[in-house]
Amino acid sequence: MFKPLRTVMAAALLTIATYGVAAEIAGGHPDTYVVKKGDTLWDIAGRFLKKPWLWPEIWQANPQVKNPHLIYPGDVLSLAYLDRVAVQEGPRQEAPINAIPLSDVEAFLKDLRVVDEFESLPYVVGLEEDRLRSSLNQVAYIKGLPDAQPGQRYMVVRPTQRYVSIDPDRCCENSGRRAQSLDFQGKRLWGTESLWAYQIPPSGGDFLGYELTKMTTGTISRGIVGDAEAATFVIDGIGTEVRVGDRLIPVEAQPYDLQFMPHAPNQEIPVEKARIIAVTDMVTTGGTRDVVALSVGSLDGVDNGTVFSTWRQGSVEVDRVVGNADRSPDAFSRGSKVKMPDEFASHVMVFRTFDKVSYALVMDGIRPTRLGYRLKHPDATN
């Protein structure tokens, strides 16, 4: 895909009026590239482009490519300087390559979702033999499913995070506190852990949503009968023990995307609104292939594949050269303070989107990605 990519680049340059993108070509490409098992769109694009998120514009500028979203191991990518891309199909024995390995984000695709409220969902009102907890092959009783029918499958979920936006006047990269599970009322349970190691403290910002985490799955074995007020639910999945107050949502065959195409944001988002609000398993810091939660979602024009650059917000320092070096920083006037520039940290790509929150994977970077960092267009220079 090296010389092939020169062709792609040339095509993209020739169609700049249509796509508004001038692809930056990386040098040293061979004439052809054979797609290999384990390749990702991001990695392949990174070999040919200085901006991997321009991949879709390049492929979409070449209509003879049957499906730019489906490129398989064994495909031969060929570029000639002034010709359009030609793809020589290989055997269709493997799955098409993706922008990222699904294994990096599988838990976040399958087991998490963000909702505005959960109180209206049906819930576990009791457990077999009045247990405190129930697990595989045991029975739970469900309130809020008056029309439940035997055979209907549900996922048992629990609220585990309450996301809020960040107050830019109070946020700093070292803020945040240990993330805790929530009880069935959405109140914090101290002394328990969650998937996210740290998040922005839930105060001082606009409410963004509750994160629901999958506990297990089960099947309705008996609807409401006689004078009973609860349906019977048999736990048939291996997972976390079920407790009273856990909520139920229908099992969906495929509630998430399996293919992602990296691209720049579809619309401009105010920089003070878009922030990293949680980092998984890494205290306040994440690196390449770590997952972060963002304070923007589909209502902000964000969709799966959207790429952002992350930036450390520049500090405001006292200019002690022109002021009294012995005075407290709080004693200096605004005119005696200097705003430092923001500093680039990494690129992240969104892979799961909700109304006001999205999950993203750190794709590359030159420094750690931290809690509270700003999100900007991937081409931003400051």
Side-chain angles (χ1 to χ4, degrees), residues 62-137:
N62 296 270
Q64 79 279 14
V65 177
K66 293 180 181 178
N67 189 336
H69 296 268
L70 296 177
I71 299 173
Y72 293 79
D75 285 351
V76 180
L77 307 177
S78 175
L79 291 175
Y81 182 61
L82 290 178
D83 296 330
R84 290 186 180 274
V85 175
V87 176
Q88 177 184 330
E89 291 188 358
R92 294 299 187 255
Q93 299 173 347
E94 305 280 353
I97 66 172
N98 209 332
I100 55 177
L102 287 178
S103 58
D104 287 353
V105 298
E106 185 175 19
F108 296 86
L109 291 172
K110 289 184 176 181
D111 300 342
L112 299 176
R113 62 205 62 205
V114 178
V115 298
D116 290 335
E117 60 87 25
F118 61 87
E119 291 85 355
S120 63
L121 296 175
Y123 58 91
V124 176
V125 70
L127 298 171
E128 178 182 0
E129 300 179 354
D130 300 325
R131 300 171 185 269
L132 294 177
R133 299 285 190 273
S134 288
S135 56
L136 182 64
N137 296 325

Side-chain angles (χ1 to χ4, degrees), residues 17-36:
T18 303
Y19 295 95
V21 174
E24 294 189 32
I25 306 172
H29 304 308
D31 291 341
T32 60
Y33 178 74
V34 180
V35 180
K36 299 178 178 61

Side-chain angles (χ1 to χ4, degrees), residues 63-266:
Q64 79 279 14
V65 177
K66 293 180 181 178
N67 189 336
H69 296 268
L70 296 177
I71 299 173
Y72 293 79
D75 285 351
V76 180
L77 307 177
S78 175
L79 291 175
Y81 182 61
L82 290 178
D83 296 330
R84 290 186 180 274
V85 175
V87 176
Q88 177 184 330
E89 291 188 358
R92 294 299 187 255
Q93 299 173 347
E94 305 280 353
I97 66 172
N98 209 332
I100 55 177
L102 287 178
S103 58
D104 287 353
V105 298
E106 185 175 19
F108 296 86
L109 291 172
K110 289 184 176 181
D111 300 342
L112 299 176
R113 62 205 62 205
V114 178
V115 298
D116 290 335
E117 60 87 25
F118 61 87
E119 291 85 355
S120 63
L121 296 175
Y123 58 91
V124 176
V125 70
L127 298 171
E128 178 182 0
E129 300 179 354
D130 300 325
R131 300 171 185 269
L132 294 177
R133 299 285 190 273
S134 288
S135 56
L136 182 64
N137 296 325
Q138 294 176 343
V139 169
Y141 301 103
I142 311 303
K143 186 175 181 181
L145 287 175
D147 301 320
Q149 298 295 320
Q152 292 178 334
R153 288 186 49 73
Y154 287 87
M155 181 186 301
V156 181
V157 296
R158 186 177 299 165
T160 51
Q161 298 293 333
R162 181 180 183 272
Y163 286 121
V164 296
S165 61
I166 296 174
D167 182 346
D169 295 328
R170 300 179 60 187
C171 174
C172 65
E173 67 179 73
N174 292 319
S175 67
R177 67 183 181 194
R178 198 72 179 174
Q180 307 289 337
S181 291
L182 305 179
D183 66 12
F184 59 86
Q185 295 178 322
K187 296 181 180 179
R188 191 166 292 276
L189 283 176
W190 298 101
T192 58
E193 302 298 332
S194 72
L195 182 63
W196 301 101
Y198 269 79
Q199 72 167 55
I200 293 296
S203 61
D206 296 329
F207 172 71
L208 299 177
Y210 289 104
E211 182 179 80
L212 302 181
T213 300
K214 173 186 173 184
M215 300 292 109
T216 186
T217 56
T219 304
I220 297 293
S221 64
R222 182 175 53 185
I224 296 176
V225 295
D227 60 353
E229 298 180 19
T232 304
F233 179 78
V234 178
I235 301 167
D236 57 21
I238 298 175
T240 303
E241 289 183 324
V242 175
R243 67 191 187 198
V244 170
D246 284 343
R247 306 285 169 161
L248 269 67
I249 59 176
V251 169
E252 301 175 76
Q254 184 178 304
Y256 47 82
D257 287 343
L258 293 176
Q259 290 288 323
F260 309 101
M261 293 296 289
H263 60 272
N266 297 318

